Amino acid sequence: MMHSLRRYRLAWAVALCLLLALAWAALAPPYAASRDLLFEIPKGTWERRMAGDQVEILPSVVQLTLGVQDVLLLRNSDTVPQQFGPVLIMPGQDFRLPFEQVSENQFACTAHSSGQMTVSVVAFPDPGLGRLKWRLAALGELFKGHSWKN
């Protein structure tokens, strides 16, 4: 019996580390360095669009979390104004839009290839399974657009 425990010590250690990581992800409070979630419209976006390039700068759905990152910050680094909802964002200008309740919001957006953008505001995740799912979804979004090719 003792021999088999020693034999699988590494497997037990890995399993314990995984269990501790899942417990932390489910219980630790969410944290963000800033409540702003920044999206920048880079210089040359309008020119590339006019040349026929399907420029994807902004995601079709932006997800914000109340109490963690609940302010959408759009920065227009392009040389032409950009429309976001009823607001005209001039070149070099930032636009901050805070959200205070759970909601699903549609905005007209000239910086988006479809001309529309959805801002989904979700509730602060409760400890436990809800927080674990929230963290896993955030991790999935982080790797979603990442290319693993060198």
Side-chain angles (χ1 to χ4, degrees), residues 12-104:
W12 281 105
V14 169
L16 180 62
C17 288
L18 182 61
L19 184 63
L20 288 173
L22 286 173
W24 173 86
L27 300 173
Y31 171 77
S34 167
R35 294 190 57 174
D36 295 344
L37 183 58
L38 171 66
F39 288 96
E40 184 171 1
I41 303 163
K43 186 175 183 176
T45 300
W46 183 80
E47 291 172 358
R48 288 177 59 197
R49 253 214 199 106
M50 293 301 106
D53 191 0
Q54 290 295 328
V55 182
E56 291 293 332
I57 296 164
L58 303 172
S60 58
V61 177
V62 171
Q63 184 170 313
L64 302 176
T65 303
L66 288 179
V68 182
Q69 279 189 319
D70 51 12
V71 178
L72 178 63
L73 175 59
L74 295 173
R75 177 168 293 146
N76 186 5
S77 296
D78 204 355
T79 56
V80 298
Q82 299 287 341
Q83 186 83 29
F84 183 75
V87 177
L88 189 63
I89 309 170
M90 300 305 289
Q93 188 178 35
D94 289 352
F95 174 66
R96 293 181 84 240
L97 183 60
F99 291 88
E100 297 176 354
Q101 61 186 19
V102 173
S103 58
E104 188 96 0

Side-chain angles (χ1 to χ4, degrees), residues 134-145:
W134 177 81
R135 278 205 163 91
L136 291 175
L139 187 62
E141 284 297 314
L142 180 67
F143 289 112
K144 189 177 184 179

